[in-house]
Amino acid sequence: MKRLFFIVIILFAIISYASAQKYIFLFIGDGMGQADIDLYEAYLAEKDGKSGFVQSNISKIPLLSMCSTVCKDRRITDSGAAGSAIACGQKFNVGEISYSESGNQPKSIAKIAKEKGLKVGIISTAPMNHATPAAFYANQQTRKNYYQIGLQLPESNFDFFGGGGLLKQTGNKKEEKDLMTLYQEAGYLTFTSTKAISSLKNHNTKVIFTNETLERDASMPYKIDREDSPNSSLAEIVATAITHLDNPKGFFMMVEGGKIDYAAHDNDAATMIGEMEDFDNAVAEAYNFYLQHKNETLIIITADHETGGVSLGIADNGYESDFGILIKQKMSMSKFATIIKKLTKNEESVSMKDYSDMASKYFIGIDMNFSSDELSLLNEAFADANIKNNRAKSEVKSKYNGNNPMAYAYCQIMNRRASVGFSTNSHTCAKVPVYAIGTTAPIYDNTEIFNVIKTFIEK
Ligand SMILES: [Zn+2]
């Protein structure tokens, strides 16, 4: 009798253990190298008048390994191949969305979680049919198939999509049916307010949240450019998703800080720090959730690749640094470029003084007495901005990576005064950090993340 009692107890323990709730947060900082985290922590310190670094929420996560991001056909990857490698646990070619050249279309970890009965959320500050989020619900030969990717979103039947809007919402020729209409027809409720989602009576509904204001490229505005209301922060979206997805079986949530990469491509350090802050605050939501559900929660924080070749310290400044000066940048370089465009639209000629006045009013609240190095940077950009010849114009465009030369030059001055360096406008193959809690497995390659999560789901 006693033995039977023990067997029943053990069986009960096994059953309840096997059906334990599973909460999984996968954070992907697009383009986020370890130097971006370091820069953000140095910035936090300077904001508080301290030396060194102030610990971010990210670095409170105890297990850290560095992982390779290389893809199948190139050492320096892109978001398509890298997002797909994280999502599916195998390597892809540049631009592929969970679709290999042999036609193989593997199931992402998000789809596996959904099949196991977990609810699924996909969140990004970039558009929801952009490469990284797409890798978790779509299978497409190329990331450029935005409309086709969008068509695959409702097929996933995932429970929460949130953040940016949609690229090519009505197809390349604007002749296709509106994707958002298709989502509503597929049973998705659509929102631009996170509060409205939190106060839903029935959380068994599928929802799509898009931020109240979106940029022309359908991404959320940068944090540095975002007025608090009516916009949402990434942290608010994650908190809303937790409320909506929480259920007895648990959930899988992929959260992308999609525009760390955009700012790094622009070599815009202050804007990049803002995106880091937005991302790090979102990590805090997950970490607080972890503290309440310790044995049931897995958090992984990583990047798809590094962007910009960021350095803390530059050759021109030797051992000097002043990262705190970046607080004085008032908006993103790209927003300042649109202001320049607007204000100079009807002007015959724009003088250096005009540019300087615009820069001090809208962009950089710093001492405008420029050093000779800074002046030569500005003079070169000024000459480039005034080029009329078409061929030379296209050279200028590639020289400044498509950015306004003057906005770029002022931004470079900010970076230099801070001692933040960028070695490229593209991605690098520097290894990226993987922070984790809820597992003890070190992760040395981006394809290993899939198995760590799968093992956790099946635990
Ligand atoms: Zn990327």
Side-chain angles (χ1 to χ4, degrees):
M1 189 64 196
K2 216 173 174 186
R3 226 170 105 186
L4 185 70
F5 178 73
F6 274 117
I7 290 169
V8 168
I9 291 283
I10 288 165
L11 273 177
F12 184 76
I14 290 171
I15 289 164
S16 60
Y17 189 68
S19 63
Q21 300 180 56
K22 306 273 169 28
Y23 302 108
I24 300 147
F25 294 89
L26 171 61
F27 284 88
I28 302 177
D30 200 315
M32 181 186 75
Q34 181 59 39
D36 297 35
I37 299 168
D38 300 342
L39 179 60
Y40 172 59
E41 294 192 344
Y43 164 89
L44 286 179
E46 297 230 10
K47 228 167 84 169
D48 285 358
K50 293 176 186 156
S51 61
F53 301 100
V54 163
Q55 197 179 27
S56 60
N57 295 304
I58 296 171
S59 58
K60 283 179 191 153
I61 306 293
L63 180 71
L64 169 61
S65 29
M66 297 298 290
C67 107
S68 161
T69 66
V70 297
C71 67
K72 216 197 245 175
D73 58 341
R74 224 168 54 188
R75 184 170 273 116
I76 301 179
T77 191
D78 83 313
S79 296
S84 301
I86 296 170
C88 301
Q90 51 183 274
K91 295 289 186 187
F92 293 87
N93 291 332
V94 165
E96 289 175 343
I97 299 297
S98 301
Y99 188 113
S100 68
E101 52 197 333
S102 61
N104 183 27
Q105 302 179 46
K107 251 182 223 165
S108 74
I109 193 66
K111 288 183 182 174
I112 291 169
K114 183 73 185 164
E115 280 178 3
K116 291 271 179 196
L118 280 73
K119 287 194 178 182
V120 174
I122 302 292
I123 296 166
S124 178
T125 51
M128 55 189 129
N129 53 352
H130 210 251
T132 310
F136 289 85
Y137 65 81
N139 302 91
Q140 284 290 328
Q141 254 170 316
T142 162
R143 59 186 288 174
K144 289 178 190 152
N145 290 348
Y146 292 115
Y147 189 77
Q148 291 86 336
I149 289 169
L151 287 177
Q152 291 185 314
L153 182 148
E155 289 171 20
S156 71
N157 211 26
F158 291 168
D159 306 272
F160 186 103
F161 287 91
L166 292 157
L167 285 156
K168 308 281 181 191
Q169 193 164 335
T170 53
N172 284 340
K173 293 180 187 160
K174 301 191 174 174
E175 287 169 346
E176 307 289 343
K177 189 160 178 178
D178 191 305
L179 287 171
M180 210 50 106
T181 310
L182 286 169
Y183 300 164
Q184 286 161 347
E185 286 172 4
Y188 281 91
L189 302 178
T190 54
F191 296 88
T192 55
S193 147
T194 50
K195 279 202 190 89
I197 298 174
S198 300
S199 56
L200 278 176
K201 286 212 170 68
N202 179 5
H203 284 290
N204 284 321
T205 48
K206 296 179 291 182
V207 304
I208 294 177
F209 164 80
T210 42
N211 191 52
E212 179 80 33
T213 58
L214 295 173
E215 297 293 350
R216 280 176 60 185
D217 65 3
S219 64
M220 284 175 62
Y222 284 125
K223 182 174 188 305
I224 198 173
D225 298 334
R226 222 182 274 156
E227 304 286 335
D228 281 346
S229 176
N231 287 293
S232 297
S233 64
L234 193 57
E236 280 164 11
I237 302 172
V238 169
T240 306
I242 290 173
T243 308
H244 188 72
L245 297 174
D246 200 2
N247 79 97
K249 286 202 163 167
F251 56 72
F252 168 89
M253 198 186 293
M254 191 291 291
V255 184
E256 188 197 24
K259 293 183 72 172
I260 299 166
D261 173 74
Y262 291 31
H265 276 289
D266 280 352
N267 292 176
D268 181 349
T271 301
M272 203 173 76
I273 289 170
E275 292 311 283
M276 283 303 305
E277 188 173 16
D278 198 36
F279 187 68
D280 191 55
N281 291 341
V283 167
E285 295 289 337
Y287 188 67
N288 290 335
F289 185 90
Y290 164 84
L291 294 176
Q292 293 154 27
H293 304 85
K294 272 191 177 165
N295 297 320
E296 307 157 324
T297 307
L298 170 68
I299 304 176
I300 294 179
I301 306 164
T302 191
D304 53 349
H305 52 78
E306 197 273 350
T307 305
V310 178
S311 72
L312 281 71
I314 59 170
D316 284 353
N317 295 350
Y319 292 94
E320 298 302 317
S321 69
D322 182 12
F323 305 122
I325 200 172
L326 293 167
I327 296 169
K328 295 182 178 170
Q329 188 172 315
K330 299 168 189 171
M331 60 174 64
S332 67
M333 179 192 73
S334 61
K335 188 173 179 190
F336 180 52
T338 63
I339 286 180
I340 293 178
K341 204 173 166 189
K342 210 163 114 192
L343 294 179
T344 61
K345 206 168 72 186
N346 301 316
E347 301 294 321
E348 284 256 310
S349 73
V350 187
S351 70
M352 187 62 112
K353 179 164 185 318
D354 294 333
Y355 279 117
S356 175
D357 289 346
M358 284 188 282
S360 83
K361 185 169 178 196
Y362 298 104
F363 190 39
I364 46 175
I366 55 166
D367 171 14
M368 302 292 274
N369 289 320
F370 298 113
S371 70
S372 61
D373 279 355
E374 289 170 344
L375 276 178
S376 61
L377 194 79
L378 286 171
N379 287 331
E380 191 183 331
F382 186 71
D384 288 336
N386 286 305
I387 276 171
K388 300 277 184 273
N389 166 314
N390 273 343
R391 214 177 110 202
K393 255 187 181 171
S394 90
E395 277 168 21
V396 165
K397 205 172 168 188
S398 69
K399 180 175 167 188
Y400 292 90
N401 201 33
N403 294 299
N404 177 302
M406 290 305 288
Y408 190 79
Y410 285 112
C411 193
Q412 287 293 309
I413 289 172
M414 283 304 280
N415 295 345
R416 286 188 189 193
R417 290 202 185 171
S419 286
V420 178
F422 289 91
S423 59
T424 175
N425 286 108
S426 305
H427 303 167
T428 72
C429 59
K431 287 186 181 176
V432 295
V434 190
Y435 291 84
I437 195 162
T439 174
T440 53
I443 294 165
Y444 301 117
D445 190 82
N446 59 4
T447 53
E448 293 165 19
I449 293 168
F450 173 90
N451 269 327
V452 170
I453 298 175
K454 192 158 174 278
T455 305
F456 186 82
I457 292 173
E458 287 166 354
K459 190 170 80 171

